[in-house]
Amino acid sequence: MRILVPVKRVVDYNVKIRVKADGSGVDTANVKMSMNPFDEIACEQAIRLKEAGHAEEIVAVSIGEAKCQETLRTALAMGADRGIHVEAPADVQPLAVAKMLRAIVGREQPGLVVMGKQAIDDDSNQTGQMLAALLGWAQATFISKLELADGRAVVAREVDEGLERIEVTLPAVLTVDLRLNEPRYASLPNIMKAKKKPIDVLTPGDLGVDPAPRLLYLKVEEPPRRQAGVKLGSVDELVTKLKQDAGVI
Ligand code: AMP
């Protein structure tokens, strides 16, 4: 079986986000970019499935600007076998990403697509669900446990009420949650080896998809600044303040 792992290049989760002065988006100039953390977990899971003998090949896909190839190299250094870069604008939206992934699934015929539950830049949480719908495949989202056997995946899903256990038949789209695993760091020899692994470059046109945005961002704003706190001398003072200043009791 082949596993497809879509990996997105996003602003690193440690970076303090700055909004552009004109409110048109987030400033990404000279900002550290990394693989979306949920996609690292997806990549790790695909590698573990290969190590356990469930898969022969892992193909990582990234859609976006030329620098997405750095993200693909990270996936290759972790253990993916080859990469596909779809050279497109940086801000391709989930429906267009899902359509491109559908076309790549058509070419590559994977038995599983393992991807992040959401990208931490736009927090859309849409691409996996859209891809499964476009393909007519089963989907299991927010998974925190996975077992494969007899052409089926048994997963635990993280839902509001706790954990939900479901079984889906393959081929399927799985979207991973934080607790599924702890991704490995790529070793230096593997980083060197990854430089020689192949990356195919495609365009949205090759996949028959128009990458133009369907949604228009009106304005991006910083959240209001938090007010400074005050230290109070006694519980009585606190009660008075809650009554008189805050008006909450
Ligand atoms: P989203 O629906 O945008 O929150 O993204 C969910 C998942 O879809 C991500 O964790 C990735 O696995 C995949 N994905 C979204 N955008 C891209 C992209 N431009 N390139 C590759 N994978 C992507």
Side-chain angles (χ1 to χ4, degrees), residues 17-163:
I17 299 293
R18 283 189 320 260
V19 171
K20 285 186 196 163
D22 63 1
S24 64
V26 167
D27 194 356
T28 54
N30 302 317
V31 167
K32 181 170 187 251
M33 307 289 283
S34 301
M35 187 190 298
N36 180 42
F38 292 108
D39 302 352
E40 288 183 353
I41 296 170
C43 213
E44 173 66 34
Q45 198 60 36
I47 297 162
R48 290 187 189 186
L49 289 174
K50 187 179 166 190
E51 286 169 347
H54 290 294
E56 290 84 47
E57 191 184 35
I58 300 166
V59 181
V61 185
S62 195
I63 299 165
E65 292 173 320
K67 290 213 162 154
C68 288
Q69 292 198 14
E70 289 171 12
T71 312
L72 286 172
R73 290 284 167 214
T74 306
L76 297 175
M78 284 175 75
D81 297 288
R82 61 189 169 88
I84 298 175
H85 173 216
V86 184
E87 190 146 27
D91 53 353
V92 184
Q93 293 177 351
L95 183 58
V97 171
K99 286 180 177 172
M100 290 186 216
L101 293 175
R102 171 180 58 177
I104 292 172
V105 165
R107 290 173 169 225
E108 299 286 342
Q109 300 289 312
L112 263 185
V113 179
V114 186
M115 55 202 289
K117 71 164 182 177
Q118 76 194 63
I120 61 164
D121 51 1
D122 54 19
D123 280 340
S124 292
N125 178 2
Q126 292 176 342
T127 311
Q129 295 88 329
M130 286 175 166
L131 176 63
L134 289 170
L135 289 166
W137 283 13
Q139 61 178 297
T141 51
F142 317 145
I143 68 167
S144 59
K145 227 172 180 189
L146 169 65
E147 283 159 34
L148 285 188
D150 307 325
R152 281 170 301 165
V154 179
V155 308
R157 301 185 58 234
E158 300 219 350
V159 293
D160 285 349
E161 296 78 26
L163 285 181

